[in-house]
Amino acid sequence: MANSKYEYVKSFENEDEMMYPNLIVVRIDGRNFERFSEINEFEKPNDERALNLMNCCATSVLEKYPDIILAYGFSDEYSFIFKKETKFYQRRVSKILSLVVSFFASLYVAKWREFFPAKDMRSTPSFKSRVICCPSMEVLQAYLAWRQRECHSKNQYNTCLWMLIKSGKSEREAHEVLKGTQKQEKNEILFQQFGINYKKLPSMYRQGSCVLKTEVDDTLKIPDNEAPVKRLRKKVIIVHSENIASRSFWNDYSCLCKEIGGFEQNVNNIKQEYVKSFQSENKLLPFTWIVIRIDGSHFHRFSEVQGFEKPNDEHALKLMNSCAVAVLEEFNDIVFAYGVSDEYSFVLKRNTQLYQRRASEIVSATVSFFSSTYVMKWKEFFPKKELKYPPNFDGRAVCYPSYEIIRDYLAWRQVDCHINNQYNTCFWMLVKSGKSTREAQSLLKGTQTQEKNQMLSQLFGIDYNMLPVIFRNGSSVFWDKETTVMDDGVVVKSHKKAVVEHPNIIEDDFWEAHPLILEETSPRSQECSRYDWD
């Protein structure tokens, strides 16, 4: 990380570590998925292909992250349970929930065609996530029982609702018929009016899906005259069970007991309020600038696999910028974004009430939308290059209390851009000239700005200051007014438009030219302005 006078802004970051021995559960939920399912014409009340897509994404998450042992999902939600002694990214809540939801969102887009080969995805999917802190196995058991009970009740209700609607009733009439009905009454409606035995419906609809790791024998390849060698390896499977929180189900899979723990007895009465009290609801300080900073996860490897140009791939940078524009268009409370390489910082207005300022929801919604957009837009910027595997990003939320400090944060990121880009430009020119990576690093060790500029000029004939400004300054995305003017000078149309520019945001000139981006909008400041202070 580059050193500068702006480094102090890092002190505002909060390491939200979940202490051991709490069990970690990450729950993701579809964001505006009712609308998404309507736009994409999902079958009601259950679309088997959509559910199988969710299950496929959950399976891939377990395969990618060894510390996730079990997942349970239905409809548009999934809960991921980590092994008891996990040190996954040092148990930082924001890192954990953002990585899981980002990868899930990327997978959802990347795998869409496998399940909907004849249907284009018509809108961008995204998810919210939160962490549930389970201080004991009893809490985890109650949580799983609660989620499966929700699956049972919601699916039974929705099955009745949509059968009534398909029979000719309006949605309001169908809700009125079902108002106050109990489980048995719904079963009778289904059987008597539609000839449906609810218990005969597919178990995936009624019970949800459990994705877990189990141990299987694996025979190793051996020379002809030697005895076969067997070893245990973990395999991800999908099962459907009536009660995933029962001792019998848990004991059937030794990996669950070994990696997470066992249940001492079956759970009966579940108090929803009790379980919900363990959900992490970290609200961010009021009247502060909220910055959502996202970073590519293992993007060095991703860029190598995808064959990105070094030190900068203009197509990749423009893809990042396009995703940032989409984020601004999706979340109106984001007033500015700054990006470089594989990172982007999104600034929310000071008085935002987005998700009631709950950090987990703001971070997860932003990072998942950015991730799914990245996959959806890939072909626009790399029409001849296949996306080898879905990328993912991690995110965090940081509060900055004043105009001066938010300005210093953004200056810090641009200084970092300047220093890192100059170093990388020198490094890759040396490597392309025949030096090994170790030799290039040795030549650059301890060099200052002027020395690097001289190296580029003398060895490679490159004037660093003439390189594309997108490389040197990074990219700024913000709202600007777009106007249409008639020949007689009359303005007939004016509206906001998210624009991408590459200005110097360290100095005052840019901010003086765009004073409304970081305007003081807190209710307190507006109230105080009404009074005449002596």
Side-chain angles (χ1 to χ4, degrees):
M1 190 66 68
N3 293 318
S4 72
K5 68 179 182 180
Y6 305 109
E7 289 284 305
Y8 80 91
V9 297
K10 291 196 293 184
S11 65
F12 290 92
E13 296 178 7
N14 177 34
E15 296 298 342
D16 50 348
E17 180 182 353
M18 181 174 289
M19 301 303 293
Y20 181 83
N22 291 302
L23 292 158
I24 298 174
V25 178
V26 174
R27 176 174 155 194
I28 71 169
D29 292 271
R31 178 176 162 269
N32 299 330
F33 243 64
E34 186 173 342
R35 178 174 177 272
F36 178 84
S37 65
E38 289 175 359
I39 292 173
N40 287 286
E41 299 176 339
F42 284 178
E43 180 68 25
K44 300 293 185 180
N46 292 289
D47 190 302
E48 187 173 1
R49 293 173 299 176
L51 292 175
N52 284 332
L53 171 55
M54 291 285 291
N55 293 345
C56 180
C57 294
T59 299
S60 295
V61 169
L62 263 71
E63 290 171 343
K64 180 177 178 66
Y65 298 118
D67 281 16
I68 300 178
I69 306 301
L70 170 71
Y72 173 74
F74 64 94
S75 184
D76 62 343
E77 78 166 64
Y78 244 103
S79 297
F80 297 91
I81 296 93
F82 285 75
K83 67 181 183 181
K84 187 173 185 178
E85 297 183 355
T86 182
K87 293 182 179 178
F88 184 70
Y89 284 101
Q90 307 308 310
R91 301 176 70 93
R92 296 200 300 274
V93 169
S94 58
K95 189 99 169 178
I96 294 170
L97 68 85
S98 60
L99 281 172
V100 172
V101 76
S102 170
F103 190 55
F104 195 97
S106 290
L107 286 164
Y108 195 94
V109 178
K111 293 180 176 292
W112 175 268
R113 283 291 183 190
E114 295 180 28
F115 298 89
F116 296 96
K119 183 181 290 187
D120 290 332
M121 184 180 284
R122 296 177 182 172
S123 64
T124 306
S126 60
F127 301 82
K128 294 184 295 182
S129 64
R130 67 184 70 181
V131 167
I132 294 89
C133 170
C134 296
S136 66
M137 286 300 296
E138 289 75 20
V139 174
L140 176 62
Q141 185 180 30
Y143 174 81
L144 291 172
W146 170 46
R147 296 323 301 152
Q148 188 163 45
R149 187 168 294 181
E150 285 287 294
C151 170
H152 282 295
S153 61
K154 286 184 177 180
N155 184 69
Q156 188 188 46
Y157 185 94
N158 288 333
T159 302
C160 289
L161 177 75
W162 284 100
M163 289 307 300
L164 288 167
I165 291 172
K166 290 176 181 179
S167 71
K169 293 190 180 298
S170 68
E171 189 168 338
R172 177 178 294 182
E173 290 171 334
H175 281 299
E176 193 62 32
V177 169
L178 295 173
K179 188 176 181 179
T181 56
Q182 302 301 310
K183 177 182 176 180
Q184 187 57 39
E185 293 171 292
K186 294 186 184 74
N187 282 342
E188 289 174 0
I189 289 173
L190 287 172
F191 186 76
Q192 293 173 6
Q193 294 191 32
F194 307 109
I196 294 175
N197 183 341
Y198 181 75
K199 293 184 178 180
K200 296 293 186 181
L201 293 178
S203 58
M204 180 168 63
Y205 301 165
R206 296 179 290 106
Q207 300 166 1
S209 299
C210 202
V211 184
L212 56 90
K213 287 176 179 172
T214 186
E215 293 180 333
V216 297
D217 288 330
D218 190 19
T219 303
L220 300 178
K221 293 183 178 180
I222 54 171
D224 293 339
N225 297 324
E226 295 184 18
V229 176
K230 290 187 176 182
R231 68 176 181 184
L232 290 175
R233 67 176 178 87
K234 290 180 180 177
K235 180 182 178 182
V236 179
I237 61 172
I238 300 175
V239 297
H240 303 99
S241 172
E242 185 67 30
N243 188 355
I244 63 169
S246 66
R247 288 183 61 200
S248 59
F249 174 81
W250 212 256
N251 291 335
D252 282 343
Y253 301 98
S254 60
C255 195
L256 299 182
C257 295
K258 183 169 71 174
E259 299 284 11
I260 302 176
F263 296 145
E264 294 184 359
Q265 58 187 11
N266 289 329
V267 62
N268 295 316
N269 296 325
I270 306 167
K271 293 184 178 180
Q272 180 176 323
E273 294 75 17
Y274 167 75
V275 182
K276 291 178 71 174
S277 68
F278 294 98
Q279 295 180 163
S280 177
E281 297 289 359
N282 178 25
K283 286 196 174 184
L284 299 167
L285 288 172
F287 306 130
T288 57
W289 303 101
I290 299 173
V291 172
I292 306 301
R293 165 129 169 245
I294 69 171
D295 291 272
S297 177
H298 301 295
F299 244 63
H300 286 295
R301 178 177 178 271
F302 178 79
S303 63
E304 289 175 2
V305 171
Q306 296 296 161
F308 284 176
E309 180 66 25
K310 300 292 185 179
N312 294 287
D313 190 302
E314 191 166 0
H315 295 291
L317 293 176
K318 288 182 176 179
L319 171 55
M320 291 284 291
N321 293 344
S322 182
C323 295
V325 169
V327 170
L328 259 72
E329 292 172 343
E330 180 72 9
F331 301 99
N332 292 329
D333 281 10
I334 296 177
V335 295
F336 186 79
Y338 175 76
V340 55
S341 185
D342 63 342
E343 75 168 65
Y344 243 102
S345 296
F346 297 95
V347 182
L348 283 82
K349 61 186 181 182
R350 289 187 68 207
N351 63 346
T352 181
Q353 289 302 314
L354 180 65
Y355 298 123
Q356 289 72 56
R357 298 178 75 94
R358 290 192 291 268
S360 60
E361 293 188 58
I362 296 174
V363 171
S364 59
T366 305
V367 76
S368 69
F369 187 82
F370 190 97
S371 302
S372 56
T373 303
Y374 192 98
V375 180
M376 289 188 73
K377 288 179 173 286
W378 176 266
K379 280 297 183 184
E380 292 181 31
F381 296 88
F382 297 99
K384 297 180 180 179
K385 186 175 289 188
E386 177 190 358
L387 182 63
K388 301 294 179 62
Y389 65 91
N392 65 319
F393 301 81
D394 66 64
R396 73 188 76 176
V398 186
C399 294
Y400 298 99
S402 71
Y403 175 85
E404 291 76 18
I405 295 175
I406 187 64
R407 280 281 308 275
D408 282 354
Y409 170 81
L410 294 169
W412 172 49
R413 300 318 308 139
Q414 190 163 57
V415 167
D416 210 49
C417 169
H418 282 295
I419 296 174
N420 289 340
N421 184 68
Q422 188 189 47
Y423 180 95
N424 289 335
T425 302
C426 291
F427 175 82
W428 284 105
M429 289 308 298
L430 289 168
V431 170
K432 289 176 181 179
S433 71
K435 302 288 186 187
S436 68
T437 55
R438 180 175 295 181
E439 289 171 331
Q441 289 168 348
S442 180
L443 285 169
L444 291 171
K445 187 176 181 179
T447 56
Q448 301 301 310
T449 297
Q450 189 59 36
E451 294 170 289
K452 294 186 185 76
N453 282 343
Q454 289 175 353
M455 183 182 295
L456 288 171
S457 177
Q458 294 170 6
L459 295 181
F460 309 109
I462 294 174
D463 182 349
Y464 180 78
N465 292 323
M466 297 304 292
L467 292 177
V469 69
I470 187 176
F471 301 161
R472 294 181 288 112
N473 280 6
S475 301
S476 296
V477 186
F478 54 94
W479 292 105
D480 205 2
K481 285 186 178 180
E482 182 180 59
T483 60
T484 302
V485 182
M486 299 293 286
D487 291 339
D488 58 2
V490 177
V491 177
V492 295
K493 189 177 182 181
S494 178
H495 64 273
K496 288 199 310 180
K497 179 183 180 183
V499 298
V500 180
E501 296 183 4
H502 315 287
N504 180 336
I505 60 173
I506 300 173
E507 306 300 333
D508 294 333
D509 292 355
F510 172 79
W511 302 105
E512 290 173 354
H514 302 86
L516 297 181
I517 292 176
L518 296 179
E519 65 178 339
E520 297 292 327
T521 56
S522 74
R524 182 180 294 274
S525 66
Q526 291 175 352
E527 185 70 25
C528 290
S529 68
R530 298 177 186 175
Y531 298 91
D532 183 17
W533 297 95
D534 292 328

